[in-house]
Amino acid sequence: MKTLAYPLLLVAASAALAGCAGGDPAAAAPSATVPAAVAAAESTAPGVPCGEITGTGGAKTAVVAHGKVDCAAATKLLTDYFAKLTPAEANDADGPGPIVLDEWTCGSGPHDPVTACSTEDGRQVEGTRR
């Protein structure tokens, strides 16, 4: 019983605060459209480690998902990205990418051990060479 008290207290406090908006009920109603920057900030949680894959040149790459991305999708995305890179792109002086894979854009800077992939709605996947 004790473990339920804290979450219930949080729900009650949230409900009370929602009622404090006062005045105009439309001002308290959530907006149907959320700016991309706000959506990105809200959806990007601390990274979730998703294991390792083999990246460019056989290097082990640690996969981390941010926001509403499951590990299966994150590892598949980076696997597909590394498979799509040509040797010329992988060795480009400006770094590989950007490469578009469906709704994702992936790339990294020159000699950067981190490959970053993101969507316009704020989801992110990172791959760090080990």
Side-chain angles (χ1 to χ4, degrees), residues 53-67:
I53 63 166
T54 302
T56 304
K60 291 292 183 192
T61 301
V63 179
V64 177
H66 297 271

Side-chain angles (χ1 to χ4, degrees), residues 17-43:
L17 289 174
C20 291
D24 185 39
S31 173
T33 59
V34 178
V38 173
E42 291 175 354
S43 68

